[in-house]
Amino acid sequence: MFVNSNGYNLGVREDEVVVNDVELPPWSKKPEDFVRINRMALESEFVSCQLHQWIDLIFGYKQRGPEAVRALNVFHYLTYEGSVNLDSIIDPVLREIPEAYFNRDPHTFLLTKDFIKAMEAQIQNFGQTPSQLLIEPHPPRSSAMHLCFLPQSPLMFKDQMQQDVIMVLKFPSNSPVTHVAANTLPHLTIPAVVTVTCSRLFAVNRWHNTVGLRGAPGYSLDQAHHLPIEMDPLIANNSGVNKRQITDLVDQSIQINAHCFVVTADNRYILICGFWDKSFRVYSTETGKLTQIVFGHWDVVTCLARSESYIGGDCYIVSGSRDATLLLWYWSGRHHIIGDNPNSSDYPAPRAVLTGHDHEVVCVSVCAELGLVISGAKEGPCLVHTITGDLLRALEGTENCLYPRLISVSSEGHCIIYYERGRFSNFSINGKLLAQMEINDSTRAILLSSDGQNLVTGGDNGVVEVWQACDFKQLYIYPGCDAGIRAMDLSHDQRTLITGMASGSIVAFNIDFNRWHYEHQNRY
């Protein structure tokens, strides 16, 4: 809204300056900075902790009466709800009276045409005060940085915050861990970190919601010694590997990577692609058994992605293929199948077909909140589709950014794309290139924090790095690991980062995005 992108002729000012884009203050280099910095201010601790006072003035007990007078919060009487109802003036004589302002005696006031027009103009130009919702003071909001149950709160857990690595878990198999899914919400039947190796051996590693969560629900001191992740007993004891091994044959030309797998939000099912018969398949994590085969593509399925889940576990699944198309599917959390109807689970129909690529699709991300699918092919620009299948735009990188390999999208509408040879680009959802960088690492995994402010990357050199997403400013480098990073995910509370390693282990890192927040740095 600050840019005249369509080149409209908006006229010329008196000083002969052409009216075009909105002139921004010196502290804002571009419109995106102006919006971002204003949002940072409006969502800051200072504003959040004063919010109740604003509610009191606009919707609360200071809107009317003596409290409004004391708070200097009194407006023209016509702006208050119920003071006038223009619709009730239905007498055409009152609306069309030609003249005469007052009736015969001084105690009777006659509504005239001019007076009614004045009331309408007052309301149209100055608006009306909203309904009064509260007659008591609204309670203040707690400070997010002082909540005692947040782990690694700046003042309470300094020692813990400075300890970067929490634990390393080595699986008996030395196969690289190519997929990590941390579905750790406490209300789940089994909060777990599900891992899948290159040899398609998966593990459901139980998550303990106790580390650092003093004062949180479910915390007890006798659990305090627990490490956050407990190895899947069937893997640890080598007693039920047959329940954890996917034996169905994949196409030999497929390179197994993080994009080949999707774990449902309840940790109960794994979706896997790359099979020679051009299908992707659904397996139960409890039994390891195949529960559904889904066909739809004309060539081998090369990548899968899952949207955030709705209440009940429903979500979108997107499959990309060598046939250069993507299919959007609906996962039913109630029936645990692709599709709405359990009676037709053998032949589910996709919700949409997404076209536009010229080559094999290699990476995809889907955001249900925005209703968008962003995908990248082996070569060429990334494409943005709606979930109804409409192609919105292409995200054109610079001349060196031709081979996209990883995509991460925030609900705020920012799209981070990693291209071959260490190149990153940040696009707005409208296709504007906001920032780019180049690093000396073959990156294998990227993810955005839940607020979209921070980017975490990891690759073959075994180093986890944290960046500011808007401009790729480096915020932190974790100690290097002894193997390359193949996959990563964040726990539900954004406090633990779990990485899958090429050595067949997973590493859990302490991560606290608050410590890189501008307010936290200024205050602590």
Side-chain angles (χ1 to χ4, degrees):
M1 67 182 187
F2 301 109
V3 180
N4 183 19
S5 54
N6 293 309
Y8 292 130
N9 182 4
L10 302 174
V12 180
R13 298 190 327 202
E14 289 181 358
D15 58 2
E16 298 186 353
V17 174
V18 175
V19 178
N20 195 24
D21 296 344
V22 173
E23 290 185 12
L24 300 171
W27 48 263
S28 173
K29 295 178 182 175
K30 52 190 177 183
E32 290 78 15
D33 285 343
F34 184 77
V35 173
R36 180 176 58 84
I37 293 168
N38 269 291
R39 284 190 60 173
M40 286 166 67
L42 289 170
E43 295 168 11
S44 66
E45 282 290 286
F46 179 80
V47 172
S48 294
C49 292
Q50 314 282 341
L51 205 55
H52 63 290
Q53 299 187 43
W54 177 80
I55 294 171
D56 289 339
L57 289 167
I58 308 300
F59 301 101
Y61 79 109
K62 290 183 180 178
Q63 189 198 85
R64 301 185 183 204
E67 291 292 344
V69 176
R70 274 196 282 272
L72 303 178
N73 192 38
V74 179
F75 297 90
H76 191 282
Y77 77 97
L78 285 178
T79 65
Y80 290 95
E81 185 181 49
S83 62
V84 64
N85 185 357
L86 292 174
D87 294 334
S88 67
I89 307 172
I90 56 175
D91 187 342
V93 176
L94 289 179
R95 281 191 174 272
E96 301 298 331
I97 196 163
E99 49 190 79
Y101 292 91
F102 290 95
N103 211 341
R104 286 152 296 284
D105 65 86
H107 304 292
T108 308
F109 178 63
L110 177 66
L111 285 172
T112 68
K113 182 179 179 182
D114 289 353
F115 187 75
I116 293 169
K117 280 185 176 178
M119 283 197 298
E120 287 178 334
Q122 165 75 30
I123 293 166
Q124 286 169 357
N125 284 283
F126 296 98
Q128 283 189 285
T129 306
S131 302
Q132 186 175 20
L133 304 178
L134 307 166
I135 56 174
E136 293 179 351
H138 192 283
R141 177 185 146 169
S142 299
S143 166
M145 296 202 181
H146 291 132
L147 287 179
C148 64
F149 57 79
L150 280 181
Q152 303 156 23
S153 170
L155 299 180
M156 295 183 67
F157 299 109
K158 270 194 169 166
D159 294 338
Q160 210 177 51
M161 191 173 80
Q162 289 160 1
Q163 178 191 336
D164 285 324
V165 178
I166 304 170
M167 64 176 294
V168 179
L169 197 66
K170 180 74 175 75
F171 295 109
S173 158
N174 290 321
S175 182
V177 177
T178 53
H179 187 81
V180 175
N183 297 310
T184 58
L185 283 165
H187 66 75
L188 295 174
T189 309
I190 306 176
V193 175
V194 178
T195 57
V196 191
T197 69
C198 206
S199 59
R200 289 173 300 135
L201 180 71
F202 70 88
V204 183
N205 309 287
R206 194 170 190 92
W207 173 265
H208 296 287
N209 285 291
T210 56
V211 176
L213 288 172
R214 291 169 197 172
Y219 179 85
S220 62
L221 286 174
D222 57 332
Q223 291 178 316
H225 66 278
H226 273 157
L227 291 169
I229 306 169
E230 180 185 345
M231 189 185 293
D232 187 332
L234 296 183
I235 299 294
N237 303 330
N238 206 26
S239 57
V241 176
N242 59 319
K243 287 186 174 182
R244 297 289 186 256
Q245 180 68 58
I246 306 298
T247 56
D248 296 347
L249 292 174
V250 294
D251 190 279
Q252 289 187 344
S253 62
I254 283 288
Q255 187 176 3
I256 300 292
N257 59 35
H259 295 128
C260 295
F261 310 97
V262 157
V263 178
T264 57
D266 58 5
N267 292 321
R268 293 178 63 185
Y269 295 89
I270 296 181
L271 287 70
I272 302 178
C273 68
F275 296 102
W276 61 273
D277 62 358
K278 304 160 191 170
S279 71
F280 67 90
R281 305 184 181 193
V282 183
Y283 295 86
S284 164
T285 57
E286 187 180 351
T287 63
K289 290 182 178 178
L290 176 66
T291 61
Q292 190 179 17
I293 302 178
V294 182
F295 293 99
H297 286 283
W298 294 96
D299 207 334
V300 174
V301 180
T302 49
C303 58
L304 295 171
R306 170 174 77 81
S307 74
E308 65 277 30
S309 288
Y310 298 106
I311 295 172
D314 291 9
C315 63
Y316 290 110
I317 300 289
V318 179
S319 58
S321 168
R322 277 192 187 148
D323 64 13
T325 69
L326 300 109
L327 298 179
L328 183 83
W329 310 85
Y330 196 77
W331 172 263
S332 169
R334 180 183 174 192
H335 301 298
H336 308 296
I337 56 167
I338 295 283
D340 300 323
N341 188 355
N343 298 322
S344 61
S345 63
D346 290 344
Y347 302 102
R351 289 285 181 96
V353 180
L354 282 49
T355 59
H357 288 294
D358 297 325
H359 301 276
E360 166 186 340
V361 181
V362 294
C363 52
V364 61
S365 183
V366 53
C367 179
E369 187 175 338
L370 296 174
L372 295 176
V373 177
I374 295 95
S375 55
K378 209 164 191 177
E379 188 177 332
C382 291
L383 301 182
V384 182
H385 289 83
T386 67
I387 54 175
T388 55
D390 298 320
L391 176 60
L392 289 182
R393 61 182 55 86
L395 302 179
E396 299 275 3
T398 56
E399 58 183 16
N400 295 324
C401 299
L402 299 174
Y403 310 106
R405 292 298 175 260
L406 301 168
I407 297 175
S408 188
V409 183
S410 77
S411 59
E412 304 295 334
H414 289 281
C415 180
I416 307 288
I417 301 173
Y418 169 73
Y419 300 87
E420 268 190 3
R421 299 180 183 173
R423 297 184 176 95
F424 284 83
S425 293
N426 179 5
F427 290 92
S428 77
I429 216 62
N430 293 322
K432 182 176 180 181
L433 180 61
L434 302 177
Q436 51 189 341
M437 74 167 173
E438 189 171 336
I439 61 173
N440 294 321
D441 186 17
S442 180
T443 303
R444 298 295 194 104
I446 65 173
L447 57 84
L448 284 163
S449 57
S450 60
D451 61 3
Q453 300 293 319
N454 303 101
L455 171 72
V456 187
T457 64
D460 287 345
N461 66 5
V463 176
V464 172
E465 296 177 83
V466 183
W467 314 80
Q468 192 166 279
C470 62
D471 57 4
F472 293 130
K473 174 188 173 185
Q474 191 173 64
L475 299 174
Y476 195 67
I477 304 175
Y478 280 87
C481 301
D482 59 359
I485 295 164
R486 295 295 178 87
M488 59 172 65
D489 201 5
L490 282 164
S491 60
H492 71 283
D493 59 3
Q494 304 276 294
R495 298 289 170 162
T496 308
L497 174 74
I498 301 101
T499 60
M501 312 301 293
S503 57
S505 60
I506 56 174
V507 180
F509 294 90
N510 262 321
I511 193 162
D512 182 4
F513 294 114
N514 273 345
R515 72 168 130 161
W516 302 301
H517 191 278
Y518 73 101
E519 266 190 293
H520 173 272
Q521 290 182 330
N522 291 341
R523 194 170 302 185
Y524 303 108

